[in-house]
């Protein structure tokens, strides 16, 4: 159950698909030279593989636990987080001004993948802290930045996002937590928040809760929500810790997976009121929270990819080790099960989907860097629109993909997969949270349909499809059955996606339920087409390298075969998804509630 | 988390699709009148719903446990099994001569579904006992039948199947357990068996282990395996219990799911040898075990359907109860989430797949009854071939379907689904064993390809496809968009299935790995096409009833809508599966082992 970061594939994607050599020309990104990036990845791989990965399974067996308001995290977590912080890994993509390394998101992305492969539960504390940092960078006052950013970026403190309340679930309009002004610029916060990841723990000196709440005169619904900083310990002017704030963890959840990650119920203000300070302006909390959420959503997509990679590696190791039954083509004795075609099919399915999702996410990260750092405002704007289109897909598709991969990982293990000691079952349990938190796939799909497709009349989607078509043209010039098959499926896939975009744009106004009946399927279709596109690009580049006699021929041949597999087995589902969306809404909506 | 058996759908399938009125004309099946069957189902539903279903979640939280060789089952299991036995439920389809009710398999099938909906873990003890009964009925001596059958059929004792050994897994050729003749007709058994469901427990007076072992001069491989009865307690001539046999449970597994069902490691012969008696003839053990396994495989398929139904009911209840977010079409306040299109899509997906798998399995059960009881040997033979074709599909497809359904069940619950207290997560964990035990889906698919398709040149498969085509012709005469859509997808589905059958028949000899690279996909394709066929038949019958103004119009309209949903969302995947099989083997087989 060890983990070795797939550095070779990561570097291939960074350099060949996500175009690192362009990204590191952007202002502020110059440090990300190819050599530096390779060194960062190798160092990170070492830390994740040696320090964090060994904690994953033991921490599932002995999860974090709650006693009298305190949470004791799983054995080794505290020390590992200290190492993580000291090595500067929390600050990879954060500004050097506040103690970060100031590297592009494109470089942080493989680091996040590795940390999540090593331990989803452990990685969550960093992911939530990243979200808090992003929100403060965007909307915090200079004083707030000066107080909170450096301790967060250097991993001295950690951050949380406090959205969900028992009655509200995903519906933030229903948030009830109250913020009452004290007259001195601070507020007293009262309310209950649930599902707060790392809402309490023992791995850092302080925890900075970012909390959605309503001021007394706030309008109802989402337009009356403000964002507050509510630290676990108040912070003195000199940065030292002051009094314990009235924000207490009253319990943690008993969960299906990510058991080492404490999921807290936090009670604010049961003893007079928790002290909070407003972030940015009143009633703009949701907007700021979306900054955290977009970062976190991308991060959860990376969790899916990280988990899938780990499950794949574990399944490959088992399949090579486990000897059972003769080879179909007729060996004398039993062979390692990797030689059995169905085991190989599952491994290829796991591998190809993981690689496709990785490629799409890294490409998305590069686009985000352009959107943030390009000198031309118009280029920034265009790239931001593309990145925002991709975020719900990267989150929703990569995480649902990871469920399937984790499922196949158990299946490769046969009966042993069902026994908890092998660890395959842990991935299956852990994966199930990913399409749920930071917005379920349905919520990602709502975002994809509403804000990302209908609002611009499908313009960004169509621009991406045009790029897919350009790759199709290149495929037409490539030789051999593999490229022919990839092209056939990509052509069918982009046609299906275009038809669905047209359907969505044409019908959302007139028949919104018909469109939303297929919104998750649209997200999935976009994922497989755009992921398949990246695999097709990868195959074309691999063939160029082979033709030129450059690099590792085995790696490039495997890339082409993996792209071929993805096309025939995954991308080929595009037509079915199109049918399910364009024709299938009738069946979704036909029954009355009582008929269920 | 209550459970109400879907009696209305069960009776519809029994009467309209599986043709109970023909089955109960068969010799020996005359008791299964429509009225009797309805009464049996209602009585069984009551027992399962009131006695067993409430045990399911508590028994997951407090599983069976092992102490010094003894297994204490979860609270309530012992009493429930007593009630089950006393009411005669273990004997529904077993011969009246040995204390059973002598009803057809078609009647037992819904009873099994209900018991598995109520509790997968509990139902396993009955399922394994059924397998032991089948093997003894087929291959046991008169003395063995007289000794063991009545206590098993009346639920006084229970049965187990002992196949797997640590080194052997699914590869029975590697079985090492030894059987040494004592010279008095008995044998001493030595060996270790793992993954023995209910291999030890406290719910019955005795446990009858059916054990695969090798006699001293047995040939190697599967041709040298014999089957032995090894009771936990030896049985005296008068049927009373004698000495404790040397078959001991040394541990039970810590599993992902079905935690209340003890999975034993059994040690035979560590204290001098466990006493066993040979079943049937030496070296024919595998053949007899296949009798148990075929019964058990069908039974595991029913587990999938039972679990899917339970997960569906729980998701529907939650979706009706949970109020969150406004209606898309614009309500004032938040609404129950069943009104959100994506929740509805998931519920329809769960529902339609469960109904399709139920219909196919019940139809299969009826065919099995004809295969066993028809007076005409030729009819019996033909129906046996069809039934045997269907068994791996019913097992493999229904169980993989149940994983997807359980997954959607969690997703419908959102964040609450990940919290163990809601129970949705239990179904997700429990489901994962179903495509693994009693032969993984790959093993079912090997059977489907090798013994069930290639051996007869695809004749049975083609005969089924011809029946599907007849239904397509009827669909062409039906009115309206629903039937047009169903027909479109069924026509495409049967064409894909036929193409794949041709591919399998044509290529297995010349390129066996290419065919087996898609064997599981062929099984899945057969499942969705044959399941879709049953849904199409159901929709046609429902329309006839509506036209005639008969029965419950709401039920029939829902059946048509559900068939429509299945066609657009599930059956539409047929083309992709065909591509993945016929073109996609190249990608499966391209990599060398070292490239993984």
């Amino acid at each position: 159950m060890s983990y070795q970061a797939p550095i070779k594939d990561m570097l291939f994607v960074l350099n060949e698909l996500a175009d690192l050599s362009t990204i590191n020309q952007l202002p502020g990104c110059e440090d990300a030279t190819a050599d530096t990036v390779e060194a960062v990845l190798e160092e990170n791989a070492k830390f994740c593989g040696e320090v964090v990965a060994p904690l994953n399974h033991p921490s599932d067996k002995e999860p974090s636990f709650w006693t009298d308001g305190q949470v004791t995290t799983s054995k080794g977590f505290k020390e590992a987080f200290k190492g993580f912080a000291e090595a500067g890994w929390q600050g990879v993509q954060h500004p050097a001004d506040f103690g970060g390394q100031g590297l592009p998101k494109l470089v942080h992305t493989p680091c996040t993948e590795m940390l999540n492969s090593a331990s989803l539960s452990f990685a969550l504390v960093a992911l939530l802290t990243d979200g808090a940092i992003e929100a403060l960078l965007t909307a915090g006052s200079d004083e707030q930045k000066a107080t909170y950013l450096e301790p967060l970026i250097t991993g001295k403190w950690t951050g949380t996002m406090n959205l969900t309340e028992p009655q509200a679930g995903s519906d933030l309009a229903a948030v009830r937590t109250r913020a009452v002004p004290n007259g001195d610029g601070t507020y007293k916060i009262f309310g209950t928040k649930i599902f707060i990841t790392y809402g309490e723990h023992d791995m850092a000196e302080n925890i900075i809760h970012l909390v959605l709440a309503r001021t007394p005169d706030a309008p109802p619904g989402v337009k009356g929500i403000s964002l507050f900083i509510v630290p676990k310990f108040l912070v003195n002017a000199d940065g030292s810790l002051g009094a314990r704030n009235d924000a207490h963890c009253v319990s943690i959840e008993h969960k299906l997976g990510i058991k080492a990650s404490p999921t807290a119920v936090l009670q604010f203000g049961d003893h007079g009121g928790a002290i909070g300070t407003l972030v940015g302006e009143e009633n703009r909390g949701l907007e700021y929270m979306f900054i955290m959420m977009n970062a976190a959503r991308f991060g959860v997509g990376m969790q899916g990819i990280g988990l899938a990679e780990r499950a794949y590696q574990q399944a490959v190791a088992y399949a090579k080790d486990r000897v059972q039954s003769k080879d179909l083509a007729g060996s004398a004795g039993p062979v390692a099960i990797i030689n059995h075609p169905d085991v190989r099919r599952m491994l290829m399915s796991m591998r190809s989907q993981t690689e496709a999702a990785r490629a799409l996410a890294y490409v998305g990260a590069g686009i985000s860097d352009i959107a943030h750092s390009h000198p031309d405002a118009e280029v920034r704007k265009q790239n931001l629109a593309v990145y925002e289109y991709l975020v719900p897909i990267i989150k929703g598709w990569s995480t649902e993909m990871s469920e399937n991969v984790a499922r196949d990982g158990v299946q490769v293990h046969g009966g042993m997969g069902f026994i908890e000691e092998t660890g395959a079952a842990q991935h299956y349990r852990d994966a199930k949270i990913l399409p749920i938190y930071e917005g379920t796939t349905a919520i990602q799909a709502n975002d994809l349909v509403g804000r990302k497709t209908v609002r611009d009349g499908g313009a960004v989607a169509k621009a991406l499809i045009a790029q897919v078509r350009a790759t199709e043209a290149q495929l037409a010039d490539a030789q051999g059955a593999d490229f022919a098959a990839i092209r056939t499926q990509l052509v069918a896939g982009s046609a299906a996606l275009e038809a669905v975009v047209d359907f969505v744009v044409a019908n959302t106004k007139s028949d919104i339920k018909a469109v939303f009946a297929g919104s998750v399927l649209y997200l999935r279709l976009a994922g497989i087409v755009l992921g398949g596109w990246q695999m097709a690009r990868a195959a074309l580049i691999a063939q160029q390298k082979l033709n030129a006699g450059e690099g590792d021929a085995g790696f490039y041949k495997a890339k082409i075969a993996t792209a071929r597999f993805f096309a025939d087995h995954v991308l080929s589902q595009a037509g079915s998804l199109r049918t399910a969306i364009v024709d299938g809404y009738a069946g979704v909506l036909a029954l009355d509630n009582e008929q269920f």
Side-chain angles (χ1 to χ4, degrees), chain A:
Chain A
M1 284 180 288
S2 64
Y3 163 69
Q4 277 210 308
I7 299 271
K8 193 172 267 187
D9 196 52
M10 289 173 161
L11 288 173
F12 173 80
V13 174
L14 287 179
N15 290 315
E16 305 296 342
L17 301 179
D19 220 357
L20 177 64
S21 63
T22 302
I23 303 298
N24 62 22
Q25 303 301 309
L26 296 169
C29 299
E30 298 87 350
D31 288 350
T33 63
D35 289 348
T36 300
V37 170
E38 188 165 345
V40 167
L41 263 56
E42 276 170 4
E43 203 55 40
N44 192 265
K46 213 173 142 193
F47 177 79
C48 292
E50 293 174 9
V51 178
V52 183
L55 302 175
N56 193 45
H57 191 53
S59 68
D60 179 67
K61 286 193 287 189
E62 299 189 19
S64 298
F65 62 91
W66 181 97
T67 328
D68 292 337
Q70 313 287 325
V71 170
T72 307
T73 51
S74 299
K75 205 177 153 192
F77 270 40
K78 193 173 177 172
E79 296 73 19
F81 190 68
K82 194 159 179 274
F84 177 80
E86 286 174 358
W89 295 119
Q90 183 71 58
V92 174
Q93 91 277 35
H94 298 305
D97 295 350
F98 296 104
Q101 299 189 40
L103 288 165
K105 186 178 183 76
L106 181 55
V107 181
H108 179 242
T109 296
C111 296
T112 292
E113 183 192 322
M114 292 183 217
L115 193 67
N116 278 293
S117 286
S119 168
L120 221 54
S121 284
F122 181 84
L124 274 167
V125 72
L127 192 149
L128 272 295
T129 302
D130 279 341
I133 293 165
E134 295 277 353
L136 291 174
L137 280 168
T138 310
S141 65
D142 288 345
E143 192 189 333
Q144 287 169 333
K145 287 181 187 172
T147 306
Y148 296 106
L149 278 176
E150 187 160 336
L152 286 168
I153 287 174
T154 58
K156 203 170 137 197
W157 302 345
T158 68
T160 71
M161 289 167 62
N162 286 247
L163 289 75
T164 307
E165 300 180 6
Q167 80 292 346
S170 305
D171 181 9
L172 297 178
V175 159
R176 283 192 204 144
T177 295
R178 293 181 300 124
V180 183
N182 288 323
D184 62 353
T186 68
Y187 292 75
K188 281 204 174 71
I189 311 289
F190 301 91
T192 305
K193 296 285 184 178
I194 62 169
F195 295 159
I196 309 308
T197 301
Y198 279 96
E200 178 58 39
H201 64 84
D202 57 1
M203 288 156 61
E205 294 171 16
N206 202 2
I207 303 173
I208 309 307
H209 304 298
L210 288 173
V211 182
L212 290 185
R214 293 180 187 284
T215 53
D217 303 323
V222 294
K223 289 177 182 158
I225 297 175
S226 303
L227 181 64
F228 296 86
I229 298 176
V230 186
K232 177 179 170 184
F233 290 99
L234 298 176
V235 182
N236 298 321
D238 64 356
S240 64
L241 297 188
R244 180 71 166 86
N245 207 351
D246 185 10
H248 295 279
C249 174
V250 295
S251 64
I252 64 173
E253 305 291 352
H254 174 221
K255 306 190 299 294
L256 173 62
I258 53 164
K259 295 187 181 194
S261 156
T263 303
V265 177
L266 289 185
Q267 199 69 37
F268 293 92
D270 267 10
H271 308 281
I275 305 298
T277 56
L278 182 68
V279 178
E281 295 173 26
E282 259 186 57
N283 300 330
R284 290 181 62 187
L286 204 67
E287 186 187 317
Y288 309 140
M289 194 56 95
F290 263 110
I291 296 162
M292 298 171 66
M293 288 212 299
N294 267 326
R297 284 173 176 185
F298 181 90
V300 173
M302 292 314 304
Q303 292 202 292
I305 295 161
L307 181 100
E309 174 66 31
R310 182 82 183 259
Y312 168 70
Q313 289 192 16
Q314 175 157 355
V316 166
Y318 187 81
K320 287 182 173 176
D321 182 62
R322 173 71 174 176
V323 172
Q324 189 187 287
S325 300
K326 289 183 192 177
D327 191 276
L328 274 176
S331 59
V335 295
I337 63 171
I338 195 171
N339 295 293
H340 300 321
D342 188 62
V343 170
R344 195 169 280 262
R345 180 187 62 79
M346 289 191 280
L347 294 177
M348 285 303 296
S349 181
M350 299 169 82
R351 173 192 182 101
S352 69
Q353 292 185 79
T354 305
E355 288 189 10
R358 172 182 298 131
L360 184 61
Y362 288 20
V363 166
I367 292 169
S368 166
D369 286 322
I370 301 172
H372 279 91
S373 305
H374 200 280
D376 182 334
E378 188 54 35
V379 174
R380 285 204 304 276
K381 193 179 148 197
Q382 284 169 2
N383 280 274
L384 185 63
V386 176
Y387 178 66
E388 291 193 337
Y389 181 83
L390 292 177
V391 167
I393 298 166
I394 291 167
K395 197 284 184 183
W397 177 57
S398 306
T399 59
E400 299 218 341
M401 175 281 288
S402 76
E403 290 183 314
N404 296 330
V405 167
R407 182 266 169 206
D408 277 351
V410 177
Q411 193 72 18
V412 166
H413 285 72
M416 289 310 295
F418 201 67
I419 307 300
E420 286 285 2
E421 70 193 9
T422 58
Q426 182 187 348
H427 303 314
Y428 178 77
R429 289 188 286 98
D430 286 354
K432 191 68 212 73
I433 192 59
L434 301 179
I436 293 175
Y437 66 12
E438 299 302 338
T440 62
T441 310
I443 287 175
Q444 307 303 322
N446 289 353
D447 182 40
L448 181 66
V449 168
R451 277 182 291 270
K452 312 296 171 66
T453 303
V454 174
R455 193 176 283 177
D456 73 355
V460 168
K462 292 291 182 81
L464 281 164
I465 291 168
Q467 290 187 58
V468 177
R469 296 259 156 83
T471 301
E472 289 165 13
Q474 292 178 283
L475 288 165
D477 296 332
Q479 301 296 313
D482 288 335
F483 286 99
I486 293 168
R487 179 166 177 274
T488 299
Q489 297 305 330
L490 193 60
V491 166
S494 63
L497 182 58
E498 185 166 41
V500 166
V501 168
D502 287 340
F503 171 81
V504 166
V505 171
N507 294 292
T508 299
K509 216 163 188 181
S510 58
D511 194 355
I512 190 169
K513 287 202 172 182
V515 172
F516 280 78
S519 58
V520 164
L521 306 178
Y522 164 38
L523 184 152
R524 192 179 301 160
L525 174 63
I528 66 176
V529 171
L530 298 177
W533 170 41
Q534 296 306 324
M535 291 304 282
R537 290 183 62 213
L540 286 165
I541 293 163
Q543 188 62 55
Q544 285 168 14
K545 302 278 182 188
L546 286 167
N547 293 347
E550 286 174 17
D552 178 348
F555 175 84
Y556 294 125
K557 284 180 187 166
K559 185 58 89 176
I560 295 168
T562 306
R564 166 78 190 268
F565 181 97
F566 189 89
D568 286 337
H569 289 256
V570 184
L571 193 45
S572 65
Q573 296 162 19
S576 169
L577 289 167
R578 172 190 183 158
T579 298
I581 297 162
V582 173
D583 301 328
Y585 64 87
V588 175
L589 302 173
L591 267 58
D592 296 330
N593 288 0
E594 311 77 59
Q595 286 178 294
F596 281 93

